[in-house]
Amino acid sequence: MWSRGAHRRPFRGNYSGWLDAGYSASAVKRFHAIDTPGSRLILGPWEHGGRLDISPESSATRAHFDHARALLDFFRVHLKHEGGASGPKVRYFTTGAERWREDNIWPPAHTPVDYYAHAEGRLEAQKPTTSTGVDEHAFSLRT
């Protein structure tokens, strides 16, 4: 989505689903490439067509996000100049927490956490107190 504001600076609506192949990465790259006050980024839980919400935490369901409304609102502000580009620049769905969040930057501010392998395949933030050996895993995209 593309429109020009009163000062001829482009606004970009960057819109994708997390499970839309490589398109979500492209949406983020475009958001960073054209960082104007009216630019927006939406990353949702849907697949390429936007019809299904897909999450590792639940079965696929009919999408709950109003795709048409999001697009129409963007065009109303930037093409018809009705209302202003207010609110957060970024809306994103977090899998696991299964909820929408908002921020003005991407990636959102966060505190990195290291996780360590423990007995019985558990991951924990606490470093193990004893060494129980070494686990190895070979990974190849070619096999």
Side-chain angles (χ1 to χ4, degrees):
M1 297 180 292
W2 195 212
S3 68
R4 292 190 180 270
H7 300 292
R8 308 292 293 164
R9 293 187 67 201
F11 300 107
R12 173 139 331 237
N14 304 283
Y15 173 92
S16 181
W18 284 118
L19 300 170
D20 193 357
Y23 194 72
S24 57
S26 297
V28 170
K29 286 180 183 178
R30 282 192 307 276
F31 176 73
H32 286 288
I34 302 175
D35 186 13
T36 61
S39 293
R40 297 292 183 262
L41 173 63
I42 298 174
L43 296 169
W46 51 83
E47 40 60 84
H48 180 70
R51 293 180 303 275
L52 297 174
D53 284 349
I54 301 175
S55 170
E57 302 296 321
S58 60
S59 298
T61 60
R62 189 176 135 287
H64 295 94
F65 186 78
D66 190 346
H67 298 276
R69 172 60 43 210
L71 296 171
L72 289 172
D73 286 348
F74 181 84
F75 289 133
R76 180 182 44 77
V77 169
H78 296 295
L79 294 179
K80 296 179 83 178
H81 307 289
E82 296 175 358
S86 61
K89 294 178 77 167
V90 179
R91 289 191 67 216
Y92 61 100
F93 187 84
T94 55
T95 58
E98 300 300 295
R99 68 183 195 114
W100 284 92
R101 296 185 188 207
E102 299 176 334
D103 210 318
N104 283 309
I105 59 171
W106 188 262
H110 65 285
T111 303
V113 177
D114 291 328
Y115 287 95
Y116 301 90
H118 283 260
E120 299 172 12
R122 293 186 332 269
L123 290 177
E124 296 181 13
Q126 293 79 27
K127 201 173 206 177
T129 56
T130 60
S131 176
T132 58
V134 175
D135 286 337
E136 292 185 25
H137 177 75
F139 176 76
S140 171
L141 293 173
R142 295 175 192 245
T143 59

